Amino acid sequence: MINTITNRQGKTLSIQIDGSKDAPAIIFSNSLGTDKGMWDLQATYFKENYQVIRYDTRGHGKSDVIDDTDLANLGEDVIDIMDTLDIKQAHFCGISMGGLTALWLGLNAPTRFKSITVANSAAKIGQADTWLTRANQVEQNGLGDLVKTTHTRWFSEQFDYQHNALAQQTILSLASTPAKGYANSCRALAYANVRHELPEIKIPTLVICGSKDPVTTVEDSEFIQQHIQKSELVCLDASHLSNIECSDEFSQVLDNFIDKNQ
């Protein structure tokens, strides 16, 4: 089973495939500071009926750290994965940073996707100065301070993240993310902005938000839904990593949406 691909820049991306290669494909894209393991529950849910492809975003997990990264690079990596695996069309689901990747793909490679799902994301996440400052701080001091407080951003107070194995695994993935890889993604996010292009997206789009998300708000998701014609919005009772905090509901909502758009 293939577990790496080489992208157009000659760099290695780590992937994981579950399910049958003859089944419809779903590609999952992780958030900033996590890895493909954050989708474990969705992979288990979908692998009976789909080919499930997960990958570590460049600079995360086991994928190479690649300098001069921007949003277009993040999207092109997905196309390179599909081309290597000979996948003509797929459904794509990205969370947070992966959600911005989904929007880029919807704009720049619409014929390759039957649908996109934009979870806990925004057409522009945060402010450039904040991202650039964080990038510099992480390069200088590492990710230790972020790891200590990450649960307050990723999970709500009602969620027992301390006794949830996947939540703990995901927090640990932040601790092991290369500082340079994290910083490069911060710089990509600083300049990623597709707010004005959203009406150009014509493929079916599912927008998922978390009612308790302090990072990408319900308003951010409503803005996306209001500007994409073939879109629908679902709000879950969760914080930023809604696919972990409300895993069953997240998977069911995504399953119903994909089933309508085969």
Side-chain angles (χ1 to χ4, degrees):
M1 176 70 74
I2 184 173
N3 55 21
T4 63
I5 71 109
T6 301
N7 73 357
R8 66 190 67 188
Q9 294 170 289
K11 301 296 185 179
T12 297
L13 301 176
S14 176
I15 68 172
Q16 183 171 344
I17 303 171
D18 297 281
S20 169
K21 66 184 181 71
D22 297 321
I26 307 175
I27 302 173
F28 288 97
S29 182
N30 59 284
S31 62
L32 176 67
T34 66
D35 61 24
K36 58 183 174 291
M38 74 172 300
W39 297 108
D40 281 354
L41 296 175
Q42 280 70 45
T44 298
Y45 181 97
F46 284 101
K47 68 181 181 181
E48 295 298 321
N49 297 307
Y50 294 90
Q51 181 184 15
V52 178
I53 299 108
R54 294 176 279 167
Y55 69 100
D56 291 333
T57 299
R58 54 171 60 200
H60 292 66
K62 297 178 180 178
S63 289
D64 282 349
V65 174
I66 309 174
D67 291 334
D68 301 321
T69 289
D70 61 19
L71 180 58
N73 295 140
L74 299 180
E76 288 166 353
D77 284 347
V78 178
I79 301 301
D80 292 345
I81 291 169
M82 294 175 68
D83 288 348
T84 300
L85 299 179
D86 195 27
I87 295 172
K88 304 302 183 188
Q89 274 195 315
H91 299 278
F92 185 87
C93 175
I95 192 165
S96 194
M97 177 173 64
L100 257 172
T101 302
L103 292 173
W104 188 92
L105 293 168
L107 287 164
N108 293 279
T111 61
R112 301 299 299 272
F113 297 94
K114 296 179 180 179
S115 74
I116 57 172
T117 295
V118 183
N120 298 85
S121 192
K124 179 181 183 296
I125 303 175
Q127 300 301 316
D129 289 348
T130 303
W131 285 120
L132 296 176
T133 298
R134 185 187 292 189
N136 293 334
Q137 289 175 341
V138 166
E139 282 188 331
Q140 293 170 11
N141 306 315
L143 286 156
D145 288 342
L146 284 175
V147 173
K148 293 175 185 175
T149 59
T150 189
H151 64 276
T152 63
R153 298 181 298 277
W154 285 0
F155 306 113
S156 67
E157 291 182 359
Q158 73 186 20
F159 181 63
D160 188 7
Y161 70 93
Q162 291 179 316
H163 292 90
N164 183 287
L166 183 55
Q168 288 301 306
Q169 173 185 315
T170 306
I171 291 173
L172 287 173
S173 72
L174 174 61
S176 61
T177 298
K180 181 64 174 174
Y182 186 98
N184 288 344
S185 291
C186 287
R187 294 188 177 103
L189 290 170
Y191 301 108
N193 183 355
V194 296
R195 288 172 63 89
H196 298 299
E197 291 84 7
L198 290 177
E200 299 173 23
I201 297 177
K202 306 300 182 183
I203 61 176
T205 302
L206 172 63
V207 185
I208 299 176
C209 64
S211 62
K212 299 178 172 65
D213 189 345
V215 181
T216 50
T217 65
V218 173
E219 290 74 20
D220 288 325
S221 291
E222 288 175 340
F223 182 88
I224 295 171
Q225 192 275 323
Q226 290 163 3
H227 288 83
I228 298 177
Q229 185 176 5
K230 294 181 180 179
S231 66
E232 56 189 83
L233 173 65
V234 175
C235 188
L236 303 181
D237 186 21
S239 187
H240 192 54
L241 298 190
S242 64
N243 73 300
I244 296 176
E245 186 166 344
C246 290
S247 60
D248 290 344
E249 190 174 0
F250 186 102
S251 297
Q252 290 163 8
V253 166
L254 178 58
D255 193 11
N256 292 337
F257 173 74
I258 288 175
D259 188 54
K260 291 187 298 185
N261 293 287
Q262 292 290 11

